[in-house]
Amino acid sequence: MRYILFLYAAIAFVVLAAGSIILPDWAMFLFAMALAKGLVCLGIVAMMRGGVVSFGQGLYYCIGAYTATLAANLWGVSDIFALTLFSSVVCLIVGMIFGPMLATYRGIFFAMLTLALSMVLYGTLSKMSVIGGSDGLNIGSPTFLGWAPEGRDLQTALYIYVVAIVVITGTLMRIYFDSEQGLITLATRDNELRVEYLGASVRKVMAYNYTFAAVLGGLGGTIAVVALGHVDPEFAFWTTSGEFVFVAILAGYMSVPAVFVAAIILEVVRSFSNLYFPNTWQLSLGIFLLIVIVTLPNGLGSLLSRRKGGKT
Amino acid sequence: MSAGVLEVRDVQKSFGAVTAAKDISVSVPKGAIYSLIGSNGAGKTTFVNMVTGYIKPDSGEINFGSRNIAGLAPRLITRLGIHRSFQIAQLCNELTVEENMLLAGAIHHDERLSFFRHAHSADARERAMATLERFHIAEHRNRLIPELSGGVKKLLDIAMAMAGETQVMLLDEPTSGVAADEKFPIMDLVIEALRAEGVTVIFVEHDMEIVTRYSERVLAFYDGQIIADDTPDEVLLDEKVQRYVTGGPA
Ligand SMILES: Nc1ncnc2c1ncn2[C@@H]1O[C@H](COP(=O)(O)OP(=O)(O)O)[C@@H](O)[C@H]1O
Ligand SMILES: [Mg+2]
């Protein structure tokens, strides 16, 4: 059945990449940002499948973004592949440190601890004037294996790069979700006692998901900073993390594409509401989320998944 | 006592003022089928919980083979081959019957490729179906747990515990919550399946008919102590057992 997945992935890539031909610049930027944030949200979804929600994924979004920026500014690295790899590895290491520590917490404790970690980073970065303090840092345009595009070419190249990363990681995460470990994760959210008594370590399951989410957060942060050209401590602020959770809940835990659809919906609603109702866009988002929760308790993804659903 | 596969020695456990296990010593030979009887609160579940790692004894040894497993985590004890079922079946309610079985198979599968190997591969499903069929619950494979009868839940719980390489199986009240006319068929199925694989069985049971029919030896619990340890006929004739457990001559 795997080749069907690869076929879907290829179709998704072609369809999304075609956007680079049709979309105007502003829309391409909006999609790139939405997809980058979608990666972070996919990490939250990975944790949600195990029954926990992180309210501090901004931590890794921010670490990824700062790592890429510092690598570019201090060592002159501009190659986007190198930047991506470097910041994912940093996030992987940080995730492997905090993952096992947080893996014994559940529910509100897990949510608050992850939130606290991200706010510690926010506070620290805001005070560190060597790296820009609360103003943050700028990063130059990326190069692609020696190619240094400009203008529309740069936009297009960056957009295609995001699409490729999204399709590859999305496919990998689908493989993981469908795997034996993926099933163990779903069972953990349901009945930890059963899982332990079958001989699996619930703590390990939680630590793995947290670590994967850290890497996804780093990927999202790297792409976002390269697209924006700027990073500041707001990347780790709780409202940023809150948006990621919003998207994850909107998408639900069943479908990978739903996460990116939800992320795009959020960005689109935000830009249009900003344009037409500048002060009430959170209100429209809130109402939208309410409607989704009431009508589709398992999120948008339940429309895209054939899985027989349980309750939450 | 000759060395059994499971040797429990002088195990004690108190919960505050309640002594749930007092000087418990048992030797269970390989392949034997033991039953535990006793009124509610006698300490039967505590015994099962200590052997399977849910509760750490205050003192004493629980030897499995050459290893003292007292206080090991449940998952490690499971990995060693001691599996259990629960008084209230422990299943994943959001998964189907088949997926519950696949889960059990997945956990006992080689860990290395587990992030990649499809949980619903033809291979895995075949194995899951074989176990479900052995326990006569294959027809329910696509149903979610809350839709099942008590008997089917119990069977699935036990079938899942059989997915690994089971050497000792502890069944905590396998027939509680099961309709009266299903009790014997269920015990027939379960005991036959376990016996066929040479598994050592310890089951908790209130129904003396089931105890005499399926077990070769009975441990009678009262107030955290074992007051009788003998064949079913002898135990049921025991005066203390009649007074504290069965409530009169059988
Ligand atoms: N986790 C626990 N905490 C406190 N008391 C317990 C706990 N488990 C069992 N007990 C007490 O230990 C005694 C034995 O209980 P249990 O082993 O469940 O009995 P049985 O299974 O024979 O009905 C009871 O008095 C019970 O209240
Ligand atoms: Mg009990």
Side-chain angles (χ1 to χ4, degrees):
Chain A
M1 294 195 292
R2 284 262 156 86
Y3 65 92
I4 297 180
L5 174 63
F6 294 134
L7 182 67
Y8 281 151
I11 294 172
F13 180 78
V14 170
V15 169
L16 282 169
S20 64
I21 304 165
I22 349 167
L23 293 175
D25 279 7
W26 66 266
M28 213 150 65
F29 173 75
L30 185 139
F31 270 60
M33 282 304 288
L35 294 175
K37 290 178 179 178
L39 287 168
V40 190
C41 306
L42 184 56
I44 297 182
V45 167
M47 288 187 270
M48 268 167 64
R49 293 174 73 87
V52 292
V53 179
S54 160
F55 273 78
Q57 258 346 70
L59 177 71
Y60 294 101
Y61 185 60
C62 188
I63 292 178
Y66 268 92
T67 307
T69 308
L70 290 172
N73 293 354
L74 296 177
W75 303 317
V77 183
S78 65
D79 185 70
I80 194 159
F81 295 91
L83 291 174
T84 309
L85 183 68
F86 187 55
S87 44
S88 333
V89 170
V90 169
C91 287
L92 174 72
I93 293 167
V94 179
M96 283 167 71
I97 293 168
F98 288 123
M101 286 160 65
L102 290 169
T104 50
Y105 295 95
R106 300 288 178 275
I108 195 73
F109 301 102
F110 182 83
M112 287 299 117
L113 283 170
T114 49
L115 176 65
L117 282 176
S118 68
M119 290 309 286
V120 166
L121 181 68
Y122 171 80
T124 313
L125 289 173
S126 305
K127 299 281 176 295
M128 283 177 71
S129 40
V130 237
I131 52 168
S134 54
D135 292 336
L137 296 168
N138 291 329
I139 181 170
S141 300
T143 57
F144 298 77
L145 303 173
W147 179 48
E150 282 169 31
R152 170 89 188 176
D153 280 351
L154 174 61
Q155 284 265 311
T156 307
L158 193 58
Y159 174 76
I160 303 264
Y161 182 74
V162 186
V163 167
I165 296 266
V166 161
V167 170
I168 292 167
T169 48
T171 307
L172 288 176
M173 288 310 277
R174 184 75 256 169
I175 289 174
Y176 165 49
F177 291 165
D178 287 340
S179 74
E180 294 179 349
Q181 282 291 336
L183 181 61
I184 298 172
T185 293
L186 273 188
T188 299
R189 120 201 211 101
D190 207 325
N191 191 336
E192 293 192 12
L193 186 70
R194 174 81 261 180
V195 171
E196 284 275 332
Y197 266 105
L198 284 169
S201 163
V202 166
R203 190 161 174 213
K204 241 189 201 171
V205 168
M206 294 290 169
Y208 278 135
N209 288 329
Y210 181 88
T211 309
F212 292 153
V215 173
L216 287 167
L219 279 175
T222 309
I223 293 165
V225 74
V226 169
L228 283 166
H230 179 78
V231 60
D232 59 48
E234 292 282 323
F235 272 54
F237 198 58
W238 66 271
T239 51
T240 311
S241 301
E243 265 177 35
F244 297 143
V245 173
F246 177 97
V247 170
I249 291 175
L250 184 59
Y253 70 90
M254 293 182 179
S255 154
V256 170
V259 178
F260 297 99
V261 171
I264 289 170
I265 289 175
L266 177 82
E267 289 300 313
V268 169
V269 172
R270 191 216 314 272
S271 354
F272 283 89
S273 315
N274 256 338
L275 213 57
Y276 298 111
F277 336 91
N279 296 315
T280 56
W281 79 271
Q282 283 98 339
L283 181 70
S284 19
L285 271 186
I287 292 170
F288 185 60
L289 183 63
L290 264 180
I291 294 170
V292 171
I293 287 176
V294 171
T295 53
L296 296 169
N298 278 319
L300 295 175
S302 52
L303 294 175
L304 301 173
S305 164
R306 278 149 298 153
R307 225 199 114 68
K308 218 171 148 180
K311 279 110 265 152
T312 345
Chain B
M1 270 188 232
S2 65
V5 62
L6 190 69
E7 295 269 357
V8 178
R9 258 190 240 134
D10 299 329
V11 162
Q12 316 272 350
K13 180 73 200 180
S14 311
F15 298 103
V18 179
T19 307
K22 205 183 293 169
D23 299 323
I24 299 283
S25 292
V26 183
S27 170
V28 186
K30 192 167 160 43
I33 300 184
Y34 273 45
S35 60
L36 309 185
I37 61 172
S39 50
N40 277 326
K44 307 178 298 295
T45 297
T46 303
F47 178 83
V48 172
N49 283 344
M50 288 190 301
V51 174
T52 58
Y54 190 67
I55 290 174
K56 186 176 159 52
D58 297 335
S59 64
E61 281 180 16
I62 300 171
N63 290 307
F64 176 57
S66 55
R67 187 157 176 194
N68 181 5
I69 58 167
L72 280 189
R75 126 184 88 84
L76 301 175
I77 292 179
T78 302
R79 292 267 176 204
L80 291 175
I82 300 183
H83 296 196
R84 74 173 291 183
S85 75
F86 295 85
Q87 202 166 333
I88 297 163
Q90 292 296 320
L91 304 165
C92 294
N93 288 332
E94 290 177 23
L95 303 180
T96 63
V97 168
E98 187 188 26
E99 284 169 325
N100 269 278
M101 203 59 232
L102 286 167
L103 168 73
I107 292 179
H108 291 291
H109 214 164
D110 177 9
E111 221 175 321
R112 268 166 298 173
L113 281 170
S114 60
F115 284 94
F116 182 75
R117 224 185 287 117
H118 205 294
H120 290 74
S121 70
D123 236 30
R125 293 185 66 176
E126 213 170 280
R127 259 179 287 133
M129 279 306 288
T131 315
L132 292 177
E133 267 160 19
R134 190 142 57 97
F135 286 89
H136 296 197
I137 47 176
E139 62 187 287
H140 304 290
R141 65 182 174 278
N142 291 325
R143 299 173 70 186
L144 291 170
I145 306 308
E147 306 164 10
L148 305 174
S149 73
V152 176
K153 283 189 201 172
K154 286 283 190 182
L155 283 172
L156 178 57
D157 192 45
I158 296 166
M160 286 171 77
M162 284 293 286
E165 282 175 13
T166 314
Q167 296 184 48
V168 176
M169 175 73 92
L170 294 105
L171 306 169
D172 196 356
E173 306 204 13
T175 65
S176 76
V178 172
D181 58 335
E182 283 183 9
K183 289 189 180 188
F184 281 100
I186 284 183
M187 283 307 282
D188 276 342
L189 249 176
V190 170
I191 297 294
E192 197 178 312
L194 292 167
R195 201 179 266 151
E197 302 203 0
V199 175
T200 308
V201 184
I202 300 172
F203 67 92
V204 177
E205 184 54 63
H206 287 291
D207 186 328
M208 292 309 140
E209 248 184 282
I210 291 178
V211 167
T212 33
R213 173 142 17 149
Y214 298 100
S215 60
E216 56 207 54
R217 204 170 176 96
V218 182
L219 306 177
F221 279 71
Y222 175 72
D223 198 20
Q225 282 173 293
I226 295 180
I227 55 171
D229 174 355
D230 215 325
T231 60
D233 294 341
E234 292 295 327
V235 167
L236 293 184
L237 288 175
D238 186 286
E239 189 201 326
K240 272 199 281 182
V241 171
Q242 290 186 352
R243 178 148 16 111
Y244 296 125
V245 183
T246 54

